[in-house]
Structures are given as structure tokens and as C-alpha cells.
């Protein structure tokens, strides 16, 4: 026959003598007044900025039901912290108390409004790398039950960059590169060719891992390799991706594109040369007209008719050039405008 003590201890009642005198023999088994309904020590890897629920449901022995005398403490244990225990959240006599010095006060709360209702679980918000440590839940009644959760907070991989090196021409080799500049190591890189732009698919033949972790080498590029490729960078707490679209061009078509580009460039240069030549001609025509007008003024308006010929002469040995104006009847006056090394000089017209 089994009975239960006031503190939750089991004991066995047995006969101690033939005369029927009985005695109580305590069983070596001792029941805790508080028991936490959770598996052993938990280990969690979480991402920076996430929120997490640290569970701590518990039960009380029937004799210990009720909130009187119930105490709950949450303690953070970190390797770099020494000294007294860091109790950052507690409950006692219907009051919730927040500790100080841990940086968790504004980011932690009990999941239940009343933790005495058999649930001492808490929620941590906006996790930081500095929150890494061991979190210990203690529920006290006549005895103490303890549950531990080891939390490691890491940074997700930063958005990677994807690019190609090599010529996108059929038959050539090309290198697909992927690199993430942030995130907690180790980082794992994986390339996949997307099927119709949705899920990941197998890589086609001719693709091998490059020297760097995020490199993918494609040899003998062909139409089979055309499509969208995705690089996935992962660590324990998350992943990030980037994509590339490959469209290899036929080799003959590529040569035509190059020739067309060259011809187009030559045509553009020719048009530019024509435009410059037209501007120079227009400028010379205006200079001729102005010089003829100066010649007409120097003769006192005695010219029988307007200038009919404008010519530009250049003396290459000295870089001297002048404008000459011819008049009707074989009369000719010297230039009224002469340029020497970019400086214009007015020259008087000689007498007829």
C-alpha cells in the first residue's frame, strides 16, 4: 500500500511483526513539488532581429496547487558576465519584476498575463548578438525546478552580389560568381538553375565548382545553359539569394554584332565629320561676306557692284592666312582682314 506525505513524498506501509504491528517505511523515491513539462536542455540558433518564445510550462503536485508562495525567476548566464546572477525577470506574490543591467528589460515579457497559471514561458523580441547565452527558468514552491535554454544569436547572410566573367558566346567558358559581404560564418554557397523561373533545379552538364566557394564554372557554353541561375547563401539562421540570366549568343552572330558595331561607329564618325565641315564652311562664308563689306566701305562706296568672289589663302610657312575680295572689272583690293596665329588685324586697302 502507498501513501503520500505532505511534501509530496511517497511512502510504503508494510507489516513489521507477526503480531500485526505496522510501521511506516519511507520509499527512497522523492517527488518534486514542482515539475517543468519540457524536454531537457534546449539549444537554439536564432537570427538577429527575430523574436523567440522560451518555454517553461510547469505543474504542481496536488497538495501545492495555488499561487501562494510561488516564485519564478529567469536568469541569463553569459561567459563574459561575472558576479551575482542576472535575474532579468521574476514573479512573486502576483507581481512581475524586471531586473536591470542586462539590456533585456524593454524586450522581454511573460507569455501569460498571469504566470501562476502553470506557464512561466517568456518571449524575447528584437534579438541581438549580445543576447547569446544560457537562459535558466526557475520555478520555486516547496522545491525548485530548473529548465535551461542555450540561445545563440547570429546574423543572417547579407544579400549577395552575382556577376559573370567571360564572353557569353556559345562554345566559350564562363564563370558565375557570387559573394556575400556579411553574415555569421560559416557561409555556404549553392548554385541552382531555376526551372521556368520558379523552384530550384539541377545544374546542366558542363558545370563544375570553381576555386572560390561562390564560383560556378560553365564549360562549352550552349543553349542548354541558357536560363536563370540562382545563388543561395546560407548559415545556421537564414539565407539570402541573388540571380543571373544567361543568354549565350551564337558565335557567328556575335561576329556580326562586332562588325555591325564597328561599321556603326565609323558611320557616326563620318556624320560628325560632315557636321564639323558644314560648320567651318558656314563660318568661312560669313567671314567672306564681312570682308567684302569692309572693302566696299574702304572705297567710299565707289564699287560698281558687290564682291562676287571670296577666297581663302594660307601661307603655311608662317601660319598666316588672309581673306581676299575681288571686285568687278578686274579690280582687286587687298584683304581687309588678316589672321596671324589666331590674332586678327585690320589692314588698310591700298589705293586703286
Amino acid at each position: 500500500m502507498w501513501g503520500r506525505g505532505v511534501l509530496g513524498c511517497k511512502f510504503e506501509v508494510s507489516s513489521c511483526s507477526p503480531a500485526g504491528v505496522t510501521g511506516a517505511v519511507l520509499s527512497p523515491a522523492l517527488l518534486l513539488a514542482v515539475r517543468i513539462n519540457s524536454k531537457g536542455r534546449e539549444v537554439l540558433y536564432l537570427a538577429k532581429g527575430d523574436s523567440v518564445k522560451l518555454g517553461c510550462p510547469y505543474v504542481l503536485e496536488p497538495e501545492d496547487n495555488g499561487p501562494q508562495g510561488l516564485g519564478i525567476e529567469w536568469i541569463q548566464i553569459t561567459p563574459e558576465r561575472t558576479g551575482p546572477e542576472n535575474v532579468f525577470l521574476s514573479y512573486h506574490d502576483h507581481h512581475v519584476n524586471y531586473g536591470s543591467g542586462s539590456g533585456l528589460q524593454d524586450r522581454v515579457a511573460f507569455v501569460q498575463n498571469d504566470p501562476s497559471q502553470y506557464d512561466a514561458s517568456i518571449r524575447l523580441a528584437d534579438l541581438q548578438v549580445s543576447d547569446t547565452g544560457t537562459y535558466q527558468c526557475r520555478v520555486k514552491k516547496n522545491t525548485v525546478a530548473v529548465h535551461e535554454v542555450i540561445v545563440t544569436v547570429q546574423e543572417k547572410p547579407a544579400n549577395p552580389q552575382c556577376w559573370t566573367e567571360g564572353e557569353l558566346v556559345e562554345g566559350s567558358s564562363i564563370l558565375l560568381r557570387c559573394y556575400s559581404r556579411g553574415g555569421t560564418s560559416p557561409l555556404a554557397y549553392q548554385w541552382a538553375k531555376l526551372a521556368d523561373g520558379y523552384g530550384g533545379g539541377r545544374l546542366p552538364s558542363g558545370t563544375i565548382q570553381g576555386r572560390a566557394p561562390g564560383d560556378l564554372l560553365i564549360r562549352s557554353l550552349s543553349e542548354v545553359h541558357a536560363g536563370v541561375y540562382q545563388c543561395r547563401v546560407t548559415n545556421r539562421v537564414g539565407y539570402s539569394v541573388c540571380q543571373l540570366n544567361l543568354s549565350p549568343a551564337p558565335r557567328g552572330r556575335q561576329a556580326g554584332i562586332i562588325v555591325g558595331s564597328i561599321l556603326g561607329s565609323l558611320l557616326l564618325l563620318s556624320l560628325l565629320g560632315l557636321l564639323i565641315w558644314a560648320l567651318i564652311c558656314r563660318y568661312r562664308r560669313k567671314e567672306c561676306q564681312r570682308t567684302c563689306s569692309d572693302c566696299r566701305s574702304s572705297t567710299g562706296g565707289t564699287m560698281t557692284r558687290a564682291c562676287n568672289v571670296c577666297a581663302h589663302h594660307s601661307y603655311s610657312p608662317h601660319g598666316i592666312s588672309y581673306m581676299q575680295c575681288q571686285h568687278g572689272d578686274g579690280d582687286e583690293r587687298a584683304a581687309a582682314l588678316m589672321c596671324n596665329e589666331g590674332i586678327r588685324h585690320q589692314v588698310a586697302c591700298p589705293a586703286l
Side-chain angles (χ1 to χ4, degrees), residues 5 60 93 179 204 236 256 271 319 335:
L60 299 175
D93 291 338
Y179 181 69
R236 286 178 177 265
L271 293 175

XYZ file of all heavy atoms in Angstrom, residues 5 60 93 179 204 236 256 271 319 335:
71
model
N 3.042 11.880 1.477
C 3.322 12.795 2.559
C 2.863 14.189 2.220
O 2.513 14.500 1.089
N 2.220 21.547 -10.646
C 2.405 21.446 -9.204
C 1.755 20.164 -8.708
O 0.771 19.681 -9.291
C 1.770 22.655 -8.496
C 2.328 24.037 -8.846
C 1.501 25.111 -8.158
C 3.786 24.157 -8.451
N 4.295 36.724 -5.550
C 3.136 37.358 -4.896
C 2.364 38.245 -5.877
O 2.051 39.412 -5.587
C 3.584 38.194 -3.689
C 4.086 37.320 -2.544
O 3.693 36.134 -2.521
O 4.860 37.812 -1.722
N 28.998 36.395 -54.062
C 29.718 36.751 -52.837
C 28.810 37.549 -51.912
O 28.125 38.480 -52.340
C 30.973 37.568 -53.162
C 31.778 37.937 -51.940
C 32.467 36.969 -51.225
C 31.834 39.255 -51.495
C 33.200 37.297 -50.095
C 32.568 39.592 -50.369
C 33.250 38.617 -49.679
O 33.968 38.949 -48.560
N 22.829 21.899 -65.321
C 23.084 21.142 -66.550
C 24.510 20.633 -66.599
O 25.374 21.054 -65.829
C 22.795 22.167 -67.652
C 22.986 23.491 -67.011
C 22.597 23.322 -65.576
N 23.505 29.031 -40.282
C 22.613 28.327 -39.354
C 21.264 29.013 -39.164
O 20.283 28.372 -38.792
C 23.284 28.203 -37.974
C 24.407 27.182 -37.908
C 25.006 27.196 -36.507
N 26.053 26.201 -36.342
C 25.866 24.991 -35.840
N 24.661 24.627 -35.459
N 26.872 24.145 -35.717
N 28.989 39.020 -86.257
C 28.187 40.021 -86.956
C 27.896 41.227 -86.094
O 27.896 42.371 -86.568
N 29.448 61.107 -89.991
C 28.417 62.139 -89.819
C 28.936 63.296 -88.987
O 28.645 64.465 -89.275
C 27.172 61.523 -89.175
C 26.401 60.503 -90.023
C 25.262 59.896 -89.221
C 25.856 61.175 -91.295
N 52.138 80.221 -91.043
C 50.808 80.092 -90.466
C 49.977 81.332 -90.639
O 49.145 81.644 -89.799
N 43.221 92.216 -98.845
C 42.290 91.788 -97.783
C 42.165 92.857 -96.714
O 43.129 93.532 -96.380
C 42.762 90.495 -97.159
